[in-house]
Amino acid sequence: MKWLVLLGLVAFSECIVKIPLRRVKTMRNIVSGKNMLNNFKENAYRLSEISFRGSNLTSHPLRNIRDFFYVGNITIGTPPQEFQVIFDTGSSELWVPSIFCNSSTCSKHDRFRHFESSTFRLSRRTFSITYGSGRIEGLVVHDTVRIGDLVSTDQQFGLCLEESGFEGMRFDGVLGLSYTNISFSGAIPIFYKLKNEGAISEPVFAFYLSKDVREGSVVMFGGADHRYYKGELNWIPLMKAGDWSVHMDRISMKRKVIACSGGCKALVDTGSSDIVGPSTLVNNIWKLIGATPQGSEHYVSCSAVNSLPSIIFTIKSNNYRVPGQAYILKDSRGRCFTAFKGHQQSSSTEMWILGDVFLRLYFSVFDRGNDRIGLAQAV
């Protein structure tokens, strides 16, 4: 079912275009593989608050795929063709499938019909990306891309001609919001282009991921709407201006450090559904909460969820509490499984991925101009 772009205005001198994100359901084992996308992503001080009053703030509603993914609609081409994409802070690529992609996965998605667009332009560059869950290959092309009222003309993006490993995924493509240096196709990310062309007043975007099953989630460009969070934003400098990773002090439970004991790296990633860490440390968390393996998941008794201890993520001396009700999810059969997932450590640096389980609790602001992330308790 196609979801229309919603437009709205707020009265305090900001213009907000709301394009909802929505949670959508997909196959759980494939979703777990999506988190391994971060294997290549990895290889890939208190500052004054930004004043957004009087600026143009574009809010794009997102839809939630049953705790798994948040997707929103964009259009490409002239006349516009609509696609459902993941807005992903862990990658830089924008890609959608081509009408000439005939794989079984492509055939289940909306595909771009380039011959129907008067603004389409071909290039001579190709690209390929290998994810933990699959692989895509195609051409780098140009066309007009719209995110709500934001328009990027002659935008470079990936047109996928071959796609494998994404069976059961209820989204058409990915819109990356990370830094240009981790781009596999060499294309200029759309957020860079929108800022350079003056379409957004501040090099800032923000996410509110609703706890509601489907509706209420939003990605906003050009600032942050203060109605979506409580208190003040805590600003955290990036470890380096190259991806959305910050230094995390420790992870604790019941006042005992259970991971990240000497400090570690944390990637704040809207494209991951879970909280992902080194397998040995995640195994220990599973034991501490009494989770037992069944297939690819680790389950707990649903009757025990309310009594599970909170897990505390300390970042820049601020504690971010994630209670059991947040890190335990239910599958299609009503069984309760943990949202902690393990990955094989590929370097000496301990790395965690703070995905949507974390971000449903904390409103997040990504400030490209000052290379920092702001977090505050979500309403």
Side-chain angles (χ1 to χ4, degrees), residues 198-216:
I200 51 178
S201 57
E202 299 279 354
V204 173
F205 58 89
F207 281 84
Y208 172 75
L209 302 184
S210 171
K211 302 174 187 66
D212 184 84
V213 174
R214 294 174 69 89
E215 306 298 337

Side-chain angles (χ1 to χ4, degrees), residues 9-304:
L9 295 174
V10 295
F12 47 90
S13 73
E14 292 179 331
C15 177
I16 299 181
V17 181
K18 291 192 179 291
I19 307 164
L21 295 179
R22 183 178 168 216
R23 280 147 98 173
V24 291
K25 181 180 179 181
T26 187
M27 294 170 59
R28 183 66 198 174
N29 60 333
I30 300 296
V31 174
S32 298
K34 165 63 176 67
N35 287 321
M36 299 311 293
L37 163 66
N38 298 287
N39 288 342
F40 81 76
K41 292 177 184 174
E42 182 178 3
N43 297 320
Y45 45 69
R46 176 73 185 176
L47 300 175
S48 60
E49 187 113 17
I50 298 174
S51 174
F52 303 123
R53 186 171 296 277
S55 64
N56 288 325
L57 172 62
T58 299
S59 297
H60 196 83
L62 304 179
R63 294 181 297 282
N64 185 353
I65 307 182
R66 198 176 170 224
D67 290 322
F68 298 152
F69 288 121
Y70 291 82
V71 298
N73 289 349
I74 65 170
T75 65
I76 302 176
T78 307
Q81 301 173 40
E82 191 172 58
F83 299 92
Q84 186 170 257
V85 298
I86 294 175
F87 289 78
D88 180 21
T89 58
S91 67
S92 297
E93 315 297 334
L94 167 60
W95 62 265
V96 295
S98 165
I99 191 64
F100 291 130
C101 181
N102 295 316
S103 68
S104 59
T105 52
C106 280
S107 63
K108 295 179 175 66
H109 298 151
D110 288 325
R111 292 175 287 177
F112 184 60
R113 302 177 302 279
H114 67 275
F115 47 82
E116 295 182 7
S117 174
S118 63
T119 46
F120 175 80
R121 184 165 68 86
L122 192 63
S123 80
R124 296 184 178 182
R125 299 212 317 273
T126 62
F127 78 100
S128 65
I129 305 175
T130 300
Y131 297 87
S133 55
R135 178 180 174 84
I136 61 170
E137 296 182 17
L139 299 173
V140 178
V141 296
H142 301 247
D143 211 328
T144 299
V145 178
R146 295 174 177 84
I147 307 172
D149 279 354
L150 297 176
V151 180
S152 177
T153 57
D154 203 38
Q155 173 65 46
Q156 293 175 302
F157 66 97
L159 191 58
C160 179
L161 298 174
E162 293 187 24
E163 182 179 308
S164 62
F166 292 96
E167 289 80 5
M169 294 294 196
R170 288 177 54 189
F171 59 85
D172 302 314
V174 173
L175 190 150
L177 290 168
S178 191
Y179 284 67
T180 188
N181 58 291
I182 65 171
S183 170
F184 277 75
S185 67
I188 298 173
I190 189 169
F191 182 70
Y192 279 68
K193 197 161 180 292
L194 289 171
K195 179 61 180 76
N196 292 340
E197 293 177 350
I200 51 178
S201 57
E202 299 279 354
V204 173
F205 58 89
F207 281 84
Y208 172 75
L209 302 184
S210 171
K211 302 174 187 66
D212 184 84
V213 174
R214 294 174 69 89
E215 306 298 337
S217 302
V218 165
V219 60
M220 52 197 76
F221 295 91
D225 188 334
H226 302 274
R227 297 173 299 173
Y228 286 96
Y229 64 89
K230 302 175 184 177
E232 299 293 321
L233 288 165
N234 296 315
W235 290 106
I236 309 152
L238 300 183
M239 293 184 70
K240 61 181 178 65
D243 62 22
W244 295 110
S245 295
V246 297
H247 176 81
M248 184 157 60
D249 304 333
R250 60 189 171 275
I251 302 173
S252 57
M253 176 193 294
K254 296 180 177 179
R255 298 185 180 181
K256 293 183 179 179
V257 177
I258 59 173
C260 190
S261 57
C264 59
K265 179 179 182 179
L267 176 67
V268 184
D269 187 4
T270 60
S272 290
S273 54
D274 302 310
I275 296 175
V276 185
S279 294
T280 54
L281 298 174
V282 171
N283 282 334
N284 184 49
I285 292 175
W286 288 336
K287 291 177 183 177
L288 290 171
I289 63 176
T292 56
Q294 295 181 44
S296 62
E297 302 296 341
H298 281 69
Y299 289 84
V300 300
S301 169
C302 291
S303 62

